[in-house]
Amino acid sequence: MIDSDIVPFRVEIPERELTDLRRRLAETRWPAQIPGVGWDRGVPLDYLKDLAAHWKQRFDWRLWEKRLNEYPQFLTEIDGARVHFLHVRSPHPEAMPLLMLHGWPGSVLEFLEVIEPLIDPDDPADAFDLVIPSHPNFGFSGPAPDSGWDSARTARAYAELMRRLGYPRYAAQGGDFGATIAPDLGRLDPDHVLAVHVNAATFGFMPFGAVPDDVAATMTDLERERLVSIERFMAEGSGYFRIQGTRPHTLGFALADSPAGQLAWIAEKFQEWTGKPGLPEDSVDRDHMLADISVYWFTNTAGSSAQMYYESLHTGNYPTRSRTPTAVANFAGDIAIRRFAEQVNTIVRWTDYDVGGHFAAMEAPATLVADIRAFFRDLR
C-alpha cells in the first residue's frame, strides 16, 4: 500500500511487453481507404504503415526509459488515486518550486527538453525545482479507482502533493488540460499558488458559446483568425472530444487492444495540432512522439485518460473568477483570446508567438523556457 507515503519509482517495462507490442504491430489488420484524400478524412494508410514499421523495427523504448529514469520519480496516493511524479530539484538553493502539468495526448515525457534549462539556468535567479506529475488516469499513475477526476479534483490532489513535498509557496504551469488544472489550482489554493503560466489554453481562455455581433465587430484580425480556428475545430476537429467525452469505455476496447489504433488516435493530433503544416515529424522528433504514445500503450491508459474528457463534459463546473496572476503564452495555432480569458482570469502577461504549437515543450522548448523565466522572474 502506498497510502500517503512517498516512495521511489523507476520505469521498468518488462521485455515481454515490448515483444508483445512488436507482435501486435506485425499482425495489424489494415483498413481500406479512399485514395488521394490526404489527411482530410483522418490518418492516411501509407503514413501509418510507415510509422508503425518504425515503431516496431527502429524505435528504442529503452533509450527513452533511461532518459526518464535519470530523474527522481516517486509514487504516492492522494484521494484514493495513485499519483506518479518526477521531482527534480535545482542545484540552486533559492529555486522556485514549479508544478508542470501535461495535457492529452501528452505525458511527463513531453517535458524532457525543458527540465535541464529550468533547473540549472545560466542565471541562478531563474532556477526552478520541478514537480511533474502524471495525472490520475494517465501514464504511470495508472487508472483511477473511481469517477470524478475532473480538473478541479486533480488540482486539489496537486495542492496536497505540494504540501506533502514541503512547498508552502509554489507556481504552476500547464498546457492543454494542464492549462485547465493549473488555473484551477490558483482558484482552489490561492494562499499557496504564487502565479500560473499556461500554453495551449482553451477552456476559460476562449469564448463560451457564440460571440455576439457587436463584440465580433471590435475584434482584431488575430482575434478573428482564432475565432475562425475555434469554429473550424468545432465543426471538423472535435470528433475525438465528443467520443472521449461521451463513450470513453467503448473507445477503450479498441485502444487497449490495438497498438496501430492507438498510434493513429494520437498521431492524428500531432499532425493537426503542431505548428508547422505537413507531417508531425516536421514539428517534433519522430521518436519523441513515439515515446509519448508508448507511455499510453505500456500503461494501458488510453481508455482511462479519456475519462478526463467525460468528466469535463459532465462536471457542470465553469471556472470562477481567479485573482491569481496568470500568464498566457500563445504558440502557433493556439486559440486563446485575451478579452475572453480576462473574464475569469487575472491576466498580467500575454505573449503571441508565430513558432511552436500545441506541444510547445516538444516543438519550441527554448521559447517556452524563456517565456516561463520572464514571467516568474519578478514574482520570486
Side-chain angles (χ1 to χ4, degrees):
M1 176 68 72
I2 298 170
D3 56 56
S4 62
D5 293 336
I6 295 175
V7 298
F9 176 80
R10 284 177 58 85
V11 178
E12 295 176 329
I13 302 301
E15 188 63 32
R16 65 178 181 275
E17 296 291 337
L18 277 69
T19 300
D20 180 65
L21 169 62
R22 291 189 285 267
R23 177 190 64 80
R24 288 170 180 264
L25 287 169
E27 296 177 357
T28 300
R29 185 173 72 163
W30 299 102
Q33 287 192 346
I34 297 173
V37 297
W39 289 80
D40 290 349
R41 303 185 184 215
V43 182
L45 178 61
D46 289 346
Y47 172 79
L48 202 75
K49 281 186 173 181
D50 180 69
L51 188 61
H54 185 95
W55 199 13
K56 178 171 72 76
Q57 298 166 4
R58 294 180 293 279
F59 173 75
D60 188 349
W61 166 255
R62 294 301 184 201
L63 289 178
W64 294 89
E65 187 177 76
K66 181 180 178 181
R67 284 192 67 183
L68 195 54
N69 285 333
E70 289 173 357
Y71 299 110
Q73 298 170 76
F74 303 91
L75 298 177
T76 192
E77 185 178 298
I78 304 175
D79 195 12
R82 186 170 94 158
V83 177
H84 160 264
F85 62 97
L86 282 67
H87 188 194
V88 190
R89 294 185 184 273
S90 170
H92 305 292
E94 301 302 317
M96 173 184 283
L98 179 64
L99 184 67
M100 298 198 77
L101 306 172
H102 68 80
W104 183 92
S107 69
V108 295
L109 276 169
E110 71 182 86
F111 296 115
L112 286 178
E113 301 302 325
V114 303
I115 291 175
E116 293 299 328
L118 287 173
I119 66 169
D120 194 12
D122 293 335
D123 185 350
D126 287 328
F128 294 91
D129 282 347
L130 300 181
V131 179
I132 308 174
S134 301
H135 305 318
N137 283 318
F138 284 75
F140 302 107
S141 288
D146 58 355
S147 62
W149 282 97
D150 61 359
S151 173
R153 186 177 179 186
T154 305
R156 283 192 291 271
Y158 293 156
E160 170 61 15
L161 174 62
M162 298 304 276
R163 186 196 67 77
R164 289 184 191 179
L165 293 175
Y167 291 124
R169 295 281 279 166
Y170 62 94
Q173 195 284 327
D176 188 77
F177 266 124
T180 305
I181 299 167
D184 274 349
L185 263 167
R187 296 181 178 94
L188 295 166
D189 197 23
D191 293 337
H192 302 101
V193 178
L194 287 160
V196 167
H197 180 285
V198 298
N199 66 283
T202 54
F203 193 61
F205 293 84
M206 53 184 272
F208 187 70
V211 175
D213 290 342
D214 60 330
V215 175
T218 67
M219 297 178 76
T220 66
D221 289 343
L222 182 58
E223 288 176 326
R224 291 192 185 96
E225 288 177 14
R226 290 191 176 140
L227 195 59
V228 169
S229 296
I230 293 169
E231 292 169 350
R232 185 185 306 118
F233 168 79
M234 295 306 296
E236 296 287 342
S238 61
Y240 79 97
F241 189 112
R242 298 301 303 179
I243 293 172
Q244 296 194 147
T246 58
R247 297 295 184 270
H249 284 175
T250 304
L251 174 68
F253 289 106
L255 298 186
D257 192 58
S258 170
Q262 175 69 95
L263 187 64
W265 193 247
I266 293 182
E268 180 190 88
K269 298 308 150 200
F270 274 89
Q271 192 274 335
E272 290 186 342
W273 295 348
T274 44
K276 296 178 182 178
L279 300 177
E281 295 89 335
D282 296 329
S283 296
V284 299
D285 177 79
R286 172 177 269 204
D287 281 1
H288 199 168
M289 176 177 69
L290 287 172
D292 178 72
I293 295 169
S294 295
V295 169
Y296 284 85
W297 177 258
F298 290 133
T299 60
N300 195 11
T301 52
S304 61
S305 65
Q307 300 294 336
M308 183 77 85
Y309 285 86
Y310 187 93
E311 303 296 350
S312 296
L313 285 183
H314 295 83
T315 182
N317 293 330
Y318 188 76
T320 56
R321 178 73 188 173
S322 171
R323 289 186 169 84
T324 301
T326 300
V328 176
N330 261 342
F331 289 84
D334 285 350
I335 56 176
I337 299 174
R338 183 164 187 162
R339 67 175 71 204
F340 300 109
E342 288 178 334
Q343 293 175 358
V344 292
N345 300 281
T346 299
I347 305 297
V348 298
R349 177 183 169 90
W350 189 282
T351 312
D352 294 310
Y353 296 100
D354 58 4
V355 299
H358 188 86
F359 304 94
M362 300 170 73
E363 299 179 69
T367 305
L368 178 63
V369 166
D371 201 89
I372 292 171
R373 286 177 182 164
F375 173 55
F376 289 115
R377 192 168 290 142
D378 296 331
L379 297 170
R380 292 173 180 268

